[in-house]
Structures are given as C-alpha cells and as structure tokens.
Amino acid sequence: MTEFPHFPPSFEWGCATAAFQIEGGATEGGKLSSIWDDFCAQPGRIKDGSDGLIACDHFHRFHEDVALMADLGFRHYRFSIAWTRVVDEQGRANQAGLDFYRRLLTALHERGITPNATLFHWDLPSHLQGGWLHRDTAHRFADYALVVARELGDLLPRVATLNEPWCSAFLGHDIGVFAPGVQDRPSSLLAAHHLMLAHGLGLQAWRSVRRDTQLGIVLNPELCDAASDAQQDVAAARMAELERNDVFLNPLFNREWPAEILQQIGPLAEQRRPGDIAICAQPLDFIGLNYYTRSIAQAPVSAEEQRRGYRFVPPDPQRPDLTDIGWEIYPQGLDRVTRNLLAKWPLPPIWITENGAADNTPVTDGTCDDQMRLGYLQSHLAQLAQMVAGGIDIRGYYVWSLLDNFEWAQGYTQRFGVVHVDYATQQRTPKSSARWLQQLMSSPQA
Ligand code: FCB
C-alpha cells in the first residue's frame, strides 16, 4: 500500500489554472483581446505558432471540468478572471462576461469546491496603451478590481491581485520572451513598480466595497545558488534573488528597493512617486507562493547580463533529474526558499498556489502513466509535509495544473496537467498523478 505524507485535517487541497491558458472563447460575449493574443499573432513568438483562441475550450466545457475536479476530490480551485472578459474599453462592467464567471462560481459552490480567484494572470487588455509602463494602467486595474468585487464578490471568499508579477515585468520587458516582448532593463523595473502599485490600489478598491474577502498576492520567489564559491558568482546569485524577491516583497512590507535595483532603473526612477510604496503595502490576509525549481547563477558576461548583474547557468540537458521543459527537480528548494523569505519578511499565512512538472507522456490505450510527474509530486509533497509538521504556516496546496494547457511561449508543447487534454477532440483523461492525488486527498490523514 502507498504511504501518503501526513498533513493536518484542515490542510486544503486544490488545483490551479489560468484564464488565457484554458478558456478559449476568445471573442465570445464581448471579450476584448489581450496582449497575449497580440503576442501570439506575432510570428516566431510562440514555439509551435499556436494561440489561446480555443485552448481547452473551458469556456464551453466548464461544467464538465468542474465535475472532473469534484470526481478527483479537489475541494479548492485556483483560477484567474480575464480582465478582458468582464470590463469594456471604458472600464464598465461587461455583463455577458460576468455571467460566465457567475455560472462557473455557482457550479463550483454546488460541488463544494471553494474558489480562489486571481485577478491578473498576465492577460492585460490590449487597449491599455503603454501597458505596465504607463502609471494609469495601475488605476485601470483598481477600477477592474472594483467591478469584480461588486459583481462577483459574494461568491469569492479568497482573491489574489496578481500572479507572478516578476514574469510580467521581467520576462515581458527585459528578457522579452513573454508579452509584450519589450527588451529594456529600466522599463522592466518600472513595469514591476506599476504592477505593485496596481496590487495596492486594487486591494484598496476591493476593501472599499467588501471586507469579507481574504486578499493576497501570488509570487514566484527565487532560490538561486551560486555556480561556485567565487565572490563574483555569489554576488550574481544574490542579484538574481534581489530582482525576483526584493523587488516585489519589499514594497509589500513598506520597504524601499535595494540600492542595486534602484541604480538599475536609472532616470525612470522619477516616475515612482513619493507615497507609492505605502500604497503597495496594504495588509495581506495571505500570500501565495509558486514553486517549480531553483536556479544557478554566475558572474555576468555579455553587456545584457551585466545590466542585470547575473547570468543563469541552465542545467545540462543530459541530466536525468530534469522535467520535460528542462527544469531541475529540486524538492528541497521549496523548504529553502520559504525559509529564506520568512527570515527576511513578516509573511502572512502561506498557500502553495502552484507546483507541478511538465511531463509530456502521451495517452496509450486510454491511460496516461506520467511516472515522472508522479515522482515530482511525491517528493515535493513529502517535503511540504515536513515543513508543515515543522511549524511553517502553510495552509494549502494547489497543483499546477488541472489540465494540460497553453504553456505561454511554449505553446502546447509542454504538458503540465494532471489531466491529459487531447486538443483535437478536447477529451480529458486523468493521468496516474491525478489518481494518486485523488487517493492522497481521500486518505484519512489528509
Ligand atoms: C507559472 C505560471 C503558470 C504556468 C506555470 C508552468 O510561472 O504562473 O501560468 O505557466 O508556470
């Protein structure tokens, strides 16, 4: 018999998705386009040339997907609301889009599944000129948050403002591999500032109409080890962590950015106004941490790396301990990164809001035996059980993802679901990992 890791009975088990990655229904009910639609339309941006127009067709199949979650035993569901679906270009409520989420939320509540909504999982409305480089976007986000609070807040016990703002800021405006595809270091820092301002303004807006929602943010903190003991490599690893962690956590706790970061933003610093950090530092009811892997850094070489202050050393692709997307399987990192954060910032209660692996095992004879993902989940949940037993205040875990889906710049080439999706037929097939989670979630200790 399988030994399951032990968790307290109150521990929450869920699965996670995001609107652009699963919904499709791209033009239904007055939905507007997002910067990810625009990015997909640019040749060469997405590995397989695909887009999110249909994705998992969840927009039309949400009843089936909610039933699937319930059958597998998930009691919590983290998903995102598409900003482009629920407000129009003037920022007014779009009833058809809101109705979709009301139907989804009603279906979840009827099945005893508690929703956890993220307001922004990267799909910024295209019409917001200048995007995150424009301060006004933070105010438009607050207007959008207000619409959701008023129209759907009665069905939303827990809400996060942003998902992984590091990706929007740095993958989107420095490295340029995510929408909108800008490559300019100071711009990425300005985008990060405006994202955190949006978070703060969004929480203020939400609390102006509802006080009964648990509110927070979802980050993907970095654990970066130095490639060697050389002083330059150690400094590079520290710089990578400052960018990923301090840029986002400092404002949450009313602290200014480290000097190294302020130096990198240069003259754009003038666009950060006195009082902004205090707006970012709204009380948090929870923080969501997403964890997949760690990084290794060494001293920068190219001019571009020097602007950042580090270069990443990708793991040797021949190593056996990599997932199909090439990320190192490193369960100890979950513990190490959480402890690093707790040593530096007074975090509220934690939920692990994403964790999972790309395992592209196909369906054979009606089954998908994703052994690598299964091992990944087992090792990470064993690690998590130890952390919880050791007294770290982690209240729940959402596996990424319920379904195989549109994996951003990787298109449909990487499968993160515990349920396989055949994109030609939209057939859903639970994988071995889903069956194992189902047993774990129904085991007495869970
Ligand atoms: C995270 C994203 C999520 C998914 C996973 C694999 O960074 O939040 O949407 O793409 O990675």
Side-chain angles (χ1 to χ4, degrees):
M1 217 174 108
T2 330
E3 268 286 314
F4 291 117
H6 287 255
F7 287 89
S10 60
F11 196 79
E12 298 180 357
W13 294 100
C15 54
T17 65
F20 192 83
Q21 296 179 273
I22 65 162
E23 281 183 4
T27 54
E28 309 242 5
K31 185 183 182 299
L32 304 172
S33 74
S34 79
I35 60 170
W36 269 94
D37 292 300
D38 304 339
F39 198 64
C40 292
Q42 294 173 17
R45 292 298 200 179
I46 309 298
K47 194 169 179 183
D48 56 3
S50 64
D51 54 47
L53 296 179
I54 299 176
C56 304
D57 198 29
H58 173 76
F59 182 79
H60 296 110
R61 293 167 196 265
F62 70 90
H63 276 298
E64 183 193 336
D65 292 337
V66 171
L68 186 60
M69 279 179 234
D71 291 347
L72 290 172
F74 292 111
R75 303 291 305 278
H76 296 265
Y77 177 46
R78 173 172 180 250
F79 69 106
S80 78
I81 295 176
W83 185 344
T84 49
R85 208 182 274 294
V86 300
V87 292
D88 68 13
E89 287 204 21
Q90 281 69 46
R92 292 175 305 218
N94 173 29
Q95 203 52 51
L98 288 162
D99 288 347
F100 164 69
Y101 290 109
R102 184 156 286 276
R103 289 196 297 273
L104 169 65
L105 290 166
T106 305
L108 289 165
H109 284 285
E110 280 171 4
R111 293 284 193 153
I113 299 171
T114 305
N116 177 351
T118 299
L119 296 177
F120 179 69
H121 200 124
W122 309 348
D123 44 357
L124 188 71
S126 306
H127 64 85
L128 293 175
Q129 291 297 318
W132 290 115
L133 298 179
H134 202 300
R135 186 180 179 91
D136 192 53
T137 298
H139 290 279
R140 299 288 73 79
F141 176 79
D143 296 345
Y144 153 58
L146 196 62
V147 169
V148 179
R150 283 205 177 109
E151 302 289 335
L152 300 170
D154 57 321
L155 295 177
L156 289 172
R158 192 177 298 147
V159 171
T161 51
L162 312 179
N163 175 71
E164 301 187 359
W166 178 84
C167 295
S168 306
F170 292 95
L171 295 181
H173 299 81
D174 178 17
I175 304 172
V177 292
F178 274 17
V182 174
Q183 290 182 306
D184 180 60
R185 182 72 179 173
S187 293
S188 64
L189 286 158
L190 186 61
H193 178 70
H194 288 151
L195 279 152
M196 296 314 289
L197 188 62
H199 158 81
L201 293 168
L203 288 193
Q204 285 181 338
W206 191 288
R207 289 193 172 116
S208 73
V209 292
R210 291 201 79 93
R211 307 294 305 184
D212 57 350
T213 317
Q214 289 182 357
L215 296 172
I217 185 169
V218 172
L219 301 180
N220 55 332
E222 178 92 313
L223 175 69
C224 192
D225 286 319
S228 79
D229 291 340
Q231 200 204 331
Q232 297 91 321
D233 290 348
V234 173
R238 176 167 178 272
M239 194 59 214
E241 289 193 347
L242 290 184
E243 170 194 307
R244 183 90 153 241
N245 302 340
D246 299 48
V247 165
F248 302 95
L249 282 146
N250 273 12
L252 290 178
F253 298 102
N254 210 359
R255 299 181 195 164
E256 179 51 286
W257 283 345
E260 298 93 319
I261 295 289
L262 283 172
Q263 192 224 329
Q264 290 188 356
I265 193 172
L268 287 183
E270 286 164 21
Q271 297 192 39
R272 301 169 79 233
R273 297 190 190 160
D276 282 0
I277 297 176
I279 295 173
C280 301
Q282 299 301 309
L284 291 173
D285 300 312
F286 73 93
I287 190 158
L289 302 183
N290 294 351
Y291 176 80
Y292 290 92
T293 188
R294 69 160 163 182
S295 309
I296 308 288
Q298 60 184 197
V301 177
S302 70
E304 191 189 344
E305 290 161 358
Q306 270 161 4
R307 271 192 293 276
R308 278 180 209 132
Y310 65 87
R311 79 191 294 250
F312 281 137
V313 191
D316 174 355
Q318 300 309 319
R319 275 171 55 170
D321 58 340
L322 304 185
T323 66
D324 285 348
I325 202 170
W327 299 349
E328 180 187 1
I329 301 172
Y330 187 69
Q332 312 88 291
L334 182 58
D335 183 60
R336 290 183 54 207
V337 74
T338 308
R339 285 179 198 281
N340 287 350
L341 299 192
L342 286 166
K344 208 160 170 185
W345 293 283
L347 299 190
I350 300 168
W351 270 259
I352 302 301
T353 33
E354 286 182 28
N355 174 244
D359 175 342
N360 300 331
T361 305
V363 172
T364 316
D365 298 331
T367 59
C368 184
D369 192 20
D370 56 338
Q371 285 299 319
M372 184 261 282
R373 176 178 296 100
L374 184 58
Y376 180 101
L377 295 179
Q378 288 173 335
S379 60
H380 285 74
L381 287 172
Q383 179 67 67
L384 184 61
Q386 271 183 28
M387 295 161 67
V388 174
I392 301 184
D393 189 4
I394 301 178
R395 310 258 175 110
Y397 173 92
Y398 297 82
V399 68
W400 183 272
S401 175
L402 173 69
L403 303 172
D404 291 337
N405 59 47
F406 176 80
E407 179 46 38
W408 309 111
Q410 302 288 324
Y412 296 95
T413 64
Q414 297 298 326
R415 292 177 176 271
F416 274 89
V418 295
V419 174
H420 182 275
V421 176
D422 178 332
Y423 296 112
T425 62
Q426 291 295 346
Q427 190 179 345
R428 277 70 164 139
T429 307
K431 306 178 187 180
S432 300
S433 56
R435 296 300 177 202
W436 182 79
L437 284 172
Q438 183 178 32
Q439 286 182 303
L440 164 69
M441 294 186 290
S442 64
S443 71
Q445 65 267 44

